[in-house]
Amino acid sequence: MNENPNDPFDELMRRSLHEEADRIEPSDALPEIRARAHAQRPAARRPWLLTAGLAAAGTAAAIGAFTMLNGADNTADDGDAVAGSGTTTTATGLPASPTPSELTASPEPSQAPTEPPTTSPSASASAKTAEPTDRGVPETAVKSTVVPVYWLGQQVGAPKKSTVRLYRTWAKVSGRPAEQAVRIMTTKQPSDPDYYSVWRGAALNTVTRSNGIVTVDFKQLPNTTLDPDLAKVAAQQLVYTVQGALGDNRTPIQVTEAGRSGKQLFGQVNTNEPLSRAQAADVQALVWIDSPAENQVVKSKVTVQGVASAFEATVNYQATNLKTRETMKSFTTAQEGQKFSPYSFQLTLTPGPWQISVYLLSAEDGSITNTDSKSIVVK
Amino acid sequence: MAQPAVVYEECVTHESSWDADEALTAVYTAHYTSLVRLGALLLRDTGTAEEIVQDAFVAMHGRWNRLRDPHKALAYLRTAVVNRCRSRQRHLVVVDKHTPRTLPDEPSAEQAVLRTAETDRVIEAMRTLPEKQRTVMVLRYYGDLSEAEIADTMGISRGSVKSHAARASKSLRQLLEQNV
């Protein structure tokens, strides 16, 4: 009709639709989307070389909101060297050769210092052609990402009292994802009061990768001694968290203390050899809630999502208004039975504090065997 | 639209090497809010719009290997959101025929206060439009899309976009003038 750009009708339409749209402020859904994206298929394996090469290509500054963090300790050179690209980059800080350690003479590749070293750019540039196999390569730092952090949670109805399983929460971090995830796991209290960590007191040094192994080096490992079963799951807590942050479920995790391997973890787990990921069926909670998160404020229409490995795929749930005691109870089905697969269901809740519980029932006697719960606030 | 989108435009050209997670985070940061708003304008139901956009992001993550390009990813998301909103609306129309009921986002009292009288009139008038015409208008005036982009997004010809826009403009002008 009227193609005049200054037509007051066009102006009115534009102004009104934008005004209407601006009233809508959706809440953050990235953790949920990520969780669902990963639940629908195995996480895409992330080749580090690719991300490191990306930083090397000089796009770091241009990525704006998604910038790689800094030049001082970015790993561009190493990624480049491994990728065989001839690009010369200036931002470097990573030692081109294993850093001599004051603590040990062991040739572990995991001794990247926490402080950015002062190696000159030319030195590392010339080292590009060196064999990369002997060097631990830290992850690329990112401005913002979401990482899974695993915790221990009691398995209810288990035959043995001390049976624990891994539960997952999501955390927004900036920096090196795996390092940040381990720091949260070792120093923070999980938001869900049902979860805990036996890694408190451990002090992380670095997470580096070389030659098909991810090395997690601690300044100090936890000193507690645990019973063997608990210790095994606790070790897997680290494996799952590191691998989750790296998007790589296959590369084994070598645990070292001040660069040295071999200390018994929790007095039980041998760390002479790298730790491989245990079968999910052995250590992962058979049902958990990915979303909403503990203490999340939500609208009345709540989509609850998670992962379950349930007999005949049946996931039971109950929602209780903590003030009025109003309770809803029903069940849903996961996509597949007897193996880990996503489930979701919707609730319409009245405003107030609610607790949502999901649980699995024993096929034999109908007792509750596994559970997870979240307290949320409905606006 | 939003500031992040501008920064984003400057940087995406290099990012064909993003993996699915990086792409998801980046595209989410830049476009999630505006896509939800787009969906909400089409559906007048923010909750459903959020679900639809989230579904679209999950689908985008799944097919990142084929998209490989943030621009394509955005086009894909926009198309997915518009399609899903449209089929949702068609479904609602069918439901409405059987059970007379209020439309999903019947504005609550406080929302009505926040909205200016002028916007109110436009939004009310938009409600009277057939679904295709309304979609064209939303993409044009909120999405700032060209005729060609609207045609691609909706899977219709440019000629159809033109005629839907013309008819919609005509009805809206009449309605809005009456009400002044």
Side-chain angles (χ1 to χ4, degrees), chain B residues 7-169:
Chain B
V7 181
Y8 177 83
E9 281 310 311
E10 288 170 4
C11 20
V12 290
T13 36
H14 307 284
E15 304 316 330
S16 52
S17 50
W18 273 345
D19 72 19
D21 284 351
E22 289 165 324
L24 179 68
T25 307
V27 179
Y28 172 92
T29 308
H31 298 294
Y32 179 73
T33 300
S34 60
L35 284 167
V36 169
R37 288 172 171 174
L38 173 70
L41 287 177
L42 294 173
L43 286 175
R44 300 187 308 278
D45 180 344
T46 308
T48 309
E50 285 182 282
E51 270 169 46
I52 283 175
V53 175
Q54 289 169 17
D55 289 348
F57 270 95
V58 172
M60 183 214 98
H61 183 277
R63 55 187 295 137
W64 176 250
N65 281 338
R66 271 164 286 166
L67 292 165
R68 280 271 149 226
D69 169 354
H71 287 293
K72 279 190 205 150
L74 176 58
Y76 170 80
L77 285 170
R78 204 155 47 202
T79 306
V81 169
V82 168
N83 280 342
R84 285 166 204 230
C85 286
R86 292 181 62 196
S87 62
R88 192 65 170 239
Q89 279 174 297
R90 285 193 289 266
H91 170 73
L92 286 178
V93 171
V94 175
V95 172
D96 278 347
K97 273 181 189 153
H98 297 286
T99 43
R101 50 173 226 157
T102 53
L103 283 158
D105 246 11
E106 206 58 73
S108 66
E110 64 269 42
Q111 277 179 328
V113 173
L114 288 171
R115 198 194 254 170
T116 64
E118 179 189 76
T119 298
D120 214 32
R121 279 213 320 277
V122 172
I123 299 299
E124 281 305 308
M126 288 278 286
R127 285 182 164 214
T128 64
L129 297 178
E131 175 267 309
K132 272 187 190 165
Q133 293 184 20
R134 189 166 59 232
T135 305
V136 169
M137 296 308 261
V138 168
L139 290 174
R140 180 185 199 175
Y141 290 112
Y142 176 68
D144 286 321
L145 297 189
S146 69
E147 254 170 34
E149 287 170 319
I150 296 173
D152 281 350
T153 302
M154 294 178 66
I156 58 178
S157 71
R158 288 180 65 169
S160 307
V161 173
K162 255 198 183 102
S163 67
H164 286 307
R167 265 179 254 144
S169 300

Side-chain angles (χ1 to χ4, degrees), chain A residues 12-99:
Chain A
L12 173 65
M13 290 299 296
R14 216 163 260 135
R15 193 167 60 234
S16 301
L17 289 186
H18 278 271
E19 190 193 306
E20 179 71 2
D22 286 348
R23 303 188 315 145
I24 294 155
E25 280 299 338
S27 44
D28 183 24
L30 183 58
E32 186 174 333
I33 293 170
R34 273 190 68 126
R36 286 178 53 198
H38 284 251
Q40 73 178 358
R41 56 179 205 141
R45 293 193 61 204
R46 163 199 298 235
W48 279 11
L49 310 183
L50 202 66
T51 44
L54 172 71
T59 58
I63 305 176
F66 327 113
T67 320
M68 306 297 159
L69 264 188
N70 50 40
D73 64 349
N74 95 28
T75 59
D77 281 346
D78 291 77
D80 239 3
V82 179
S85 148
T87 320
T88 308
T89 54
T90 50
T92 181
L94 195 86
S97 52
T99 318

Side-chain angles (χ1 to χ4, degrees), chain A residues 2 9 31 107 126 136 152 155 162 193 200 215 219 290 292 297 365:
Chain A
N2 193 336
F9 172 75
S126 67
L152 302 183
Q155 185 179 9
S162 65
R200 296 299 289 274
T215 302
K219 288 174 206 139
D290 272 311
V297 178
D365 59 9

